[in-house]
Amino acid sequence: MNINFKAIANILGLLLLFNGVFMLFCLPFAIYYNEPYNYFLISSGITIISGLSIFLPTQKNKVKELRKKDGYMVVSLGWITMSLFGTLPYVISGEIPSFTDAFFETISGFTTTGASILNDIEALPLALLFWRSLTQWIGGMGIIVLAVAILPLLGIGGMQLFVAESPGLSPDKMKPRIQDTAKRLWVIYIGLTFTECVLLIIGGMNFFDAINHSLTTMATGGFSTKQDSVAYWDSPFIQYVIIVFMFLAGTNFTITYYGLKGKFKKAFANEEFRSYFILCVVVSLGIFGIMATNLGDINLEKAFRNSLFQVVSIITTTGFITSDYTLWGSGVLVLIFILMFIGGSAGSTAGGIKIVRHIIIFKNTVLEIKRQMHPSAILPVRINGKAINQDTTYNVLAFIMLYFSVFLVGLILMSFTNLDFSSSLGAVATSIGNIGPGLGTVGPVYNFAHINDFGKWVLSIMMLMGRLELFTVLILFSPFFWKNY
Amino acid sequence: MNINFKAIANILGLLLLFNGVFMLFCLPFAIYYNEPYNYFLISSGITIISGLSIFLPTQKNKVKELRKKDGYMVVSLGWITMSLFGTLPYVISGEIPSFTDAFFETISGFTTTGASILNDIEALPLALLFWRSLTQWIGGMGIIVLAVAILPLLGIGGMQLFVAESPGLSPDKMKPRIQDTAKRLWVIYIGLTFTECVLLIIGGMNFFDAINHSLTTMATGGFSTKQDSVAYWDSPFIQYVIIVFMFLAGTNFTITYYGLKGKFKKAFANEEFRSYFILCVVVSLGIFGIMATNLGDINLEKAFRNSLFQVVSIITTTGFITSDYTLWGSGVLVLIFILMFIGGSAGSTAGGIKIVRHIIIFKNTVLEIKRQMHPSAILPVRINGKAINQDTTYNVLAFIMLYFSVFLVGLILMSFTNLDFSSSLGAVATSIGNIGPGLGTVGPVYNFAHINDFGKWVLSIMMLMGRLELFTVLILFSPFFWKNY
């Protein structure tokens, strides 16, 4: 099986065309707010022309069915290509002159991470802020395709299991049926973004802030138009709306689909959704309990809201901030750090390890104790009442091992950047988990500007690997991949 | 299969008898140094009488063959019983009046951890310091039996694989052959302890310090008779001797056996030994390279020695100190923290995850990438050229998951003790890994005295679980264990 480079180039060209067109969506904002807009025209022009010059010559190599090896290449190269060209508006406008910084900000967008190198977010032109939010929303769309159509096909980390709508896949082909599913989920994605925007406007946000925050909420991205993030709006209504939509964005979109069709029983029958829901509630109440003993100058409702907001924001890997959680005591800090390794639901736009993987690992560990007692017994892990294949459990175990290995490699690399220990821990955990804020000097009220260029590249790679479920990227570096079988 | 409580009691009684006799070994020191010795007579008396009163009535229930379920009980209860009675000399002498503190110090001894609650080690009577060192050496003997005879039988975390001398085990019986192996390894253990003691005396240590440090080196325990640990002796000879013996203590004792018989080729053919050797060398040189750029008031040789000493001390889970590694920069700190999760070789007295498990995980992860490409290929992990059973790989994966789960639970519990984040990380990592020193306020120049009682109990349990390879302890809490099959 050789790699079909021309077919891959064809898809990458198409992606660039989309990217260039998306850049034009920023123009109306520039014009409306009387800002310069040449840089968008130039960026979009370069991107579209580059896209066409790759797309058109390879049109005759277009394939209807993507093969497995090509799938890996498309996914990694797709995200990288989008990020490279996505830097153009930042660089050409001169707002982020350093290419390293611009790349960090862009890949943080497309991977829906939300870590920023901007010292003063509000100093940027509004149209550029919109581009920044839009990169996250585009990344979120990409993730839906990835989760529904590509990862199950590639068999990454047992993900084939977790998308309810993809049974009966033939291993080497993308079925039109999956494309239909992806489209249906995109409709939900767009619909929820629109609904949140309307609710935020009702809550008193202006149109610009509302649309930006809706785009980045649904992508579980977390870029804000304000330096203070969501803490800027001290409105319970606005913050509760964002909590609800972060929660929805971190829910498996097929579950949301059942929910929207009124099949709540079916949604709650899903083990991952139940665990996700219970986890958010229990941890929030726990942290609220700790905060309630030392309220300071806030009232009970606000303590509850802050704790719920931050727990949902971290679990869903969104990364919005309403309060600096690093000041909530070391007990809470440890909990927040651990939450960074949970991740949202599979089949959502959330990053991280994902809850269903934790369920499998937990059940398998309990069963392993039972297996010690009865070595000959066959005890498969069951999810939603169904026994899952041992290969899948194996795959999930290997995924989590790999996650921690990559985390440790990142930690070692970051430790040579003069970041202190806690900040390094936080920076790597938040990057690989696609969350946004970390601990220490990369905590919720700080940013990533002070990290040196080497560190920014390390974290950029961490964001990409985390977003693409590790194997997808690493497999490209394995000799097996490049052998012709 | 019911649990044979009387047979278990019989073994525990025998252990207490040994424990009481070992206490009497401290008497000559008390007499020679003109110290009070009544408390040793009383402690030993209580322990021996308790032992006899359990041992004698159950003699008729003595079993020749230990069954699996009984094995789990004996191991956990054995360590706990030894630790409970081991506190007597500390408590009765009044030197450690708090039972919690005394238990922490004793279980830190029997688990060969080496974490201490003593603010002034040198204020203790010498005979009591000898008891403290002796607990580690006894613990080390226990570990050899555990690794060679009991864990392979119980099939914990794939350990049945790693002891070269135990093929052909019938699953539910302890073979005399294994007991022979254990005895042979004890001879090596005692011989190496004696040799180290002689070398340390040649290097200029007095007899008392030499014997204590030999006992705690070979156990990979790390208790010292000096507040400054091994840094007290600024002698290259003494420190290099201790480095060599720490390395030997962290080597699989069957490999050492080959080495002593001159079969070096066979020793180096062992993958775990090779990795262990290379890891110690490479990490030491790496840290030396970092330290060489900023020597301060030490010379190159001393920088090399400090780095080699600390790397070997942490990897082998000994925990002796020649220099405060928390001051070597955040890059080194991260490396040291990660080393805490490596552990020595299987079949040695070292604690932690163990190198062979890391090898299996690493190979399995690489193979998993290959399996992604070729889902139908059967690709087993190979160690020393032999394919290992998939169940074993599974077992190792589950072990490491469990290790990190227990680590996280410990971290959450410790975060509610007012230890700061880094110190909590260090305290839990060093306890579960049976190392000794941690980070921050439990770093190499500090101790564990300032942690509250709750925290001390949490860490005591962590030490026990780490030492007994987790499953052995946790299985007692599973409902499966208590069912009668």
Side-chain angles (χ1 to χ4, degrees):
Chain A
M1 186 163 86
N2 278 306
I3 296 157
N4 190 344
F5 287 104
K6 287 187 177 167
I8 293 168
N10 185 259
I11 296 172
L12 296 180
L14 189 65
L15 284 176
L16 280 184
L17 282 180
F18 280 120
N19 209 9
V21 171
F22 271 117
M23 285 177 193
L24 296 178
F25 287 12
C26 304
L27 278 181
F29 290 95
I31 294 164
Y32 181 80
Y33 293 115
N34 267 321
E35 293 172 351
Y37 53 81
N38 276 337
Y39 66 94
F40 270 118
L41 290 176
I42 299 169
S43 307
S44 172
I46 295 174
T47 310
I48 290 177
I49 290 166
S50 307
L52 284 175
S53 66
I54 302 171
F55 179 71
L56 292 179
T58 54
Q59 259 302 73
K60 62 182 181 297
N61 305 95
K62 185 180 165 185
V63 283
K64 281 222 161 175
E65 287 170 356
L66 199 61
R67 293 172 317 166
K68 200 165 173 177
K69 263 196 178 176
D70 303 335
Y72 291 111
M73 294 283 281
V74 162
V75 170
S76 293
L77 291 181
W79 249 268
I80 292 169
T81 311
M82 294 287 276
S83 299
L84 284 174
F85 283 84
T87 59
L88 292 176
Y90 298 120
V91 175
I92 294 175
S93 68
E95 295 290 340
I96 306 184
S98 145
F99 175 70
T100 299
D101 283 355
F103 188 79
F104 183 95
E105 198 77 12
T106 314
I107 202 160
S108 171
F110 281 122
T111 58
T112 79
T113 305
S116 178
I117 50 81
L118 293 172
N119 279 315
D120 185 1
I121 291 169
E122 292 165 48
L124 252 62
L126 296 181
L128 198 56
L129 283 181
F130 183 73
W131 172 241
R132 189 166 166 264
S133 305
L134 200 56
T135 56
Q136 294 202 322
W137 196 72
I138 298 168
M141 294 193 97
I143 287 306
I144 295 173
V145 186
L146 195 69
V148 175
I150 303 179
L151 290 182
L153 171 80
L154 304 182
I156 298 291
M159 291 295 276
Q160 64 278 20
L161 247 194
F162 314 136
V163 181
E165 299 272 308
S166 62
L169 273 180
S170 70
D172 252 24
K173 292 169 186 173
M174 266 176 89
K175 292 275 177 189
R177 169 135 183 239
I178 299 179
Q179 293 177 3
D180 287 348
T181 308
K183 277 177 199 154
R184 201 191 305 157
L185 299 186
W186 277 356
V187 169
I188 297 175
Y189 185 63
I190 295 167
L192 288 176
T193 308
F194 180 78
T195 311
E196 183 187 351
C197 183
V198 170
L199 287 171
L200 290 178
I201 291 170
I202 292 172
M205 244 191 217
N206 69 39
F207 172 72
F208 182 77
D209 291 332
I211 180 122
N212 277 279
H213 283 82
S214 311
L215 293 176
T216 61
T217 306
M218 284 314 297
T220 66
F223 275 155
S224 174
T225 51
K226 298 294 175 189
Q227 192 67 28
D228 294 340
S229 186
V230 177
Y232 180 90
W233 293 274
D234 196 9
S235 142
F237 181 82
I238 285 177
Q239 297 189 352
Y240 283 115
V241 164
I242 293 178
I243 289 171
V244 169
F245 281 85
M246 288 194 294
F247 183 81
L248 287 174
T251 305
N252 188 328
F253 274 49
T254 53
I255 302 281
T256 308
Y257 178 73
Y258 294 139
L260 291 174
K261 286 175 78 177
K263 296 180 181 172
F264 296 108
K265 217 169 168 182
K266 198 164 176 183
F268 266 93
N270 182 285
E271 267 189 67
E272 183 182 32
F273 181 71
R274 271 206 316 272
S275 306
Y276 169 55
F277 183 80
I278 292 168
L279 188 72
C280 288
V281 171
V282 169
V283 180
S284 301
L285 289 179
I287 292 181
F288 169 63
I290 296 166
M291 291 173 75
T293 60
N294 184 11
L295 277 174
D297 55 354
I298 60 171
N299 63 24
L300 269 182
E301 185 276 328
K302 187 153 185 200
F304 171 75
R305 182 163 24 108
N306 280 342
S307 117
L308 182 65
F309 192 99
Q310 287 314 141
V311 168
V312 173
S313 174
I314 299 289
I315 290 184
T316 61
T317 74
T318 308
F320 281 138
I321 303 295
T322 56
S323 170
D324 184 355
Y325 54 74
T326 60
L327 305 177
W328 295 355
S330 71
V332 175
L333 195 66
V334 168
L335 280 177
I336 297 272
F337 179 66
I338 293 174
L339 288 186
M340 291 185 176
F341 291 90
I342 303 292
S345 312
S348 74
T349 59
I353 290 175
K354 311 277 185 309
I355 288 165
V356 69
R357 289 204 180 98
H358 289 288
I359 298 175
I360 290 179
I361 293 304
F362 178 77
K363 290 190 172 182
N364 184 57
T365 306
V366 172
L367 286 175
E368 192 64 28
I369 293 177
K370 200 165 178 176
R371 287 185 201 116
Q372 300 275 23
M373 298 299 302
H374 308 283
S376 53
I378 309 245
L379 301 164
V381 172
R382 286 170 182 278
I383 293 280
N384 298 325
K386 273 180 230 151
I388 66 174
N389 195 315
Q390 200 187 322
D391 279 353
T392 305
T393 309
Y394 217 63
N395 209 311
V396 170
L397 283 162
F399 176 85
I400 296 197
M401 285 298 145
L402 196 59
Y403 196 92
F404 281 101
S405 307
V406 171
F407 172 76
L408 290 180
V409 170
L411 187 59
I412 292 175
L413 293 174
M414 289 309 290
S415 69
F416 294 100
T417 60
N418 296 325
L419 271 195
D420 66 278
F421 184 55
S422 297
S423 303
S424 294
L425 280 173
V428 179
T430 205
S431 296
I432 193 175
N434 299 123
I435 301 162
L439 309 174
T441 63
V442 293
V445 297
Y446 302 100
N447 61 53
F448 290 69
H450 60 288
I451 299 176
N452 65 21
D453 279 4
F454 170 75
K456 281 173 186 157
W457 284 104
V458 169
L459 296 179
S460 297
I461 294 168
M462 292 285 139
M463 292 189 240
L464 184 71
M465 292 216 283
R467 181 73 282 186
L468 304 185
E469 310 273 334
L470 307 174
F471 282 118
T472 325
V473 180
L474 286 169
I475 210 163
L476 301 183
F477 294 93
S478 79
F480 325 126
F481 186 82
W482 297 99
K483 276 187 197 149
N484 289 324
Y485 292 97
Chain B
M1 186 164 83
N2 277 308
I3 297 158
N4 190 345
F5 288 104
K6 287 188 178 165
I8 293 168
N10 185 257
I11 296 172
L12 295 181
L14 190 64
L15 285 176
L16 280 184
L17 282 179
F18 281 120
N19 209 9
V21 171
F22 271 116
M23 285 176 192
L24 296 177
F25 287 13
C26 305
L27 277 181
F29 290 95
I31 294 164
Y32 181 79
Y33 294 112
N34 269 320
E35 292 173 353
Y37 54 81
N38 277 337
Y39 66 95
F40 270 119
L41 290 175
I42 300 170
S43 305
S44 174
I46 295 175
T47 309
I48 291 178
I49 291 168
S50 306
L52 283 176
S53 67
I54 302 171
F55 178 71
L56 292 179
T58 53
Q59 258 305 70
K60 61 181 182 296
N61 306 95
K62 185 180 166 185
V63 282
K64 283 222 161 180
E65 288 170 356
L66 198 62
R67 293 173 317 168
K68 199 165 175 176
K69 261 194 179 176
D70 302 335
Y72 292 110
M73 294 283 280
V74 162
V75 170
S76 293
L77 290 182
W79 249 268
I80 292 168
T81 311
M82 294 287 275
S83 300
L84 284 174
F85 282 84
T87 59
L88 291 176
Y90 298 120
V91 174
I92 294 176
S93 68
E95 294 291 340
I96 305 183
S98 146
F99 175 70
T100 299
D101 283 355
F103 188 80
F104 183 94
E105 198 76 11
T106 315
I107 203 160
S108 172
F110 281 121
T111 58
T112 79
T113 304
S116 177
I117 51 79
L118 293 172
N119 279 316
D120 184 1
I121 290 168
E122 293 165 47
L124 251 62
L126 296 181
L128 198 56
L129 283 181
F130 182 75
W131 172 241
R132 189 165 165 266
S133 305
L134 201 55
T135 55
Q136 295 203 321
W137 196 71
I138 299 168
M141 294 192 98
I143 287 307
I144 295 173
V145 186
L146 194 69
V148 175
I150 303 179
L151 289 182
L153 172 81
L154 303 182
I156 298 292
M159 292 294 275
Q160 64 279 19
L161 247 196
F162 315 135
V163 182
E165 299 272 305
S166 62
L169 273 178
S170 72
D172 250 26
K173 291 170 187 173
M174 264 174 90
K175 290 276 175 188
R177 167 133 185 240
I178 299 179
Q179 292 176 5
D180 287 347
T181 307
K183 277 177 198 154
R184 201 191 306 156
L185 300 186
W186 278 356
V187 170
I188 297 175
Y189 185 64
I190 294 168
L192 288 176
T193 307
F194 179 76
T195 312
E196 184 187 351
C197 184
V198 170
L199 287 171
L200 290 179
I201 291 170
I202 292 173
M205 244 190 214
N206 69 40
F207 172 72
F208 181 77
D209 290 334
I211 181 122
N212 277 279
H213 283 82
S214 311
L215 293 175
T216 61
T217 306
M218 285 314 299
T220 67
F223 274 155
S224 175
T225 50
K226 299 293 175 190
Q227 191 68 28
D228 293 341
S229 186
V230 177
Y232 179 88
W233 292 275
D234 195 9
S235 143
F237 181 82
I238 286 178
Q239 295 189 354
Y240 282 115
V241 164
I242 293 178
I243 289 171
V244 168
F245 282 85
M246 288 194 294
F247 183 81
L248 288 174
T251 305
N252 187 328
F253 274 48
T254 54
I255 302 281
T256 308
Y257 178 71
Y258 294 139
L260 291 174
K261 286 176 76 180
K263 298 182 180 170
F264 296 109
K265 216 168 165 181
K266 197 163 175 184
F268 265 93
N270 182 285
E271 266 189 69
E272 183 181 32
F273 181 70
R274 272 207 316 272
S275 306
Y276 170 51
F277 183 80
I278 293 168
L279 188 72
C280 288
V281 171
V282 169
V283 181
S284 301
L285 288 179
I287 292 181
F288 169 61
I290 296 166
M291 290 173 76
T293 61
N294 184 11
L295 277 173
D297 55 354
I298 61 172
N299 62 25
L300 269 182
E301 185 278 328
K302 187 153 184 198
F304 172 75
R305 180 161 28 108
N306 280 343
S307 116
L308 182 65
F309 192 100
Q310 287 314 141
V311 167
V312 173
S313 174
I314 300 289
I315 289 184
T316 61
T317 74
T318 309
F320 281 138
I321 302 295
T322 57
S323 170
D324 184 355
Y325 55 72
T326 59
L327 306 177
W328 295 356
S330 71
V332 176
L333 195 67
V334 168
L335 280 176
I336 296 273
F337 179 67
I338 292 174
L339 288 185
M340 291 185 176
F341 291 91
I342 303 291
S345 312
S348 74
T349 58
I353 290 176
K354 311 276 184 310
I355 289 166
V356 68
R357 289 204 180 98
H358 289 289
I359 298 176
I360 290 179
I361 294 305
F362 178 77
K363 290 191 172 182
N364 184 58
T365 306
V366 172
L367 286 175
E368 192 65 30
I369 293 177
K370 201 166 177 175
R371 287 187 199 114
Q372 301 275 22
M373 297 298 303
H374 308 283
S376 52
I378 308 245
L379 301 165
V381 173
R382 285 168 184 279
I383 294 281
N384 298 325
K386 276 179 229 151
I388 66 174
N389 194 315
Q390 200 187 323
D391 279 354
T392 304
T393 309
Y394 217 65
N395 209 310
V396 171
L397 283 162
F399 176 85
I400 296 199
M401 285 299 146
L402 196 58
Y403 196 92
F404 281 101
S405 309
V406 171
F407 172 77
L408 289 181
V409 170
L411 187 61
I412 292 175
L413 293 175
M414 289 309 291
S415 69
F416 294 100
T417 59
N418 296 327
L419 271 195
D420 65 277
F421 184 55
S422 297
S423 304
S424 295
L425 280 173
V428 179
T430 205
S431 298
I432 192 175
N434 299 123
I435 301 162
L439 310 174
T441 63
V442 294
V445 298
Y446 302 100
N447 60 52
F448 291 69
H450 60 288
I451 299 176
N452 64 21
D453 279 4
F454 170 74
K456 282 173 186 157
W457 284 105
V458 169
L459 295 180
S460 299
I461 295 168
M462 292 285 139
M463 293 188 238
L464 186 72
M465 291 216 284
R467 181 73 281 187
L468 305 184
E469 310 273 333
L470 307 175
F471 282 118
T472 325
V473 180
L474 286 170
I475 210 164
L476 302 182
F477 294 95
S478 77
F480 324 127
F481 186 83
W482 297 101
K483 274 187 197 150
N484 289 325
Y485 291 98

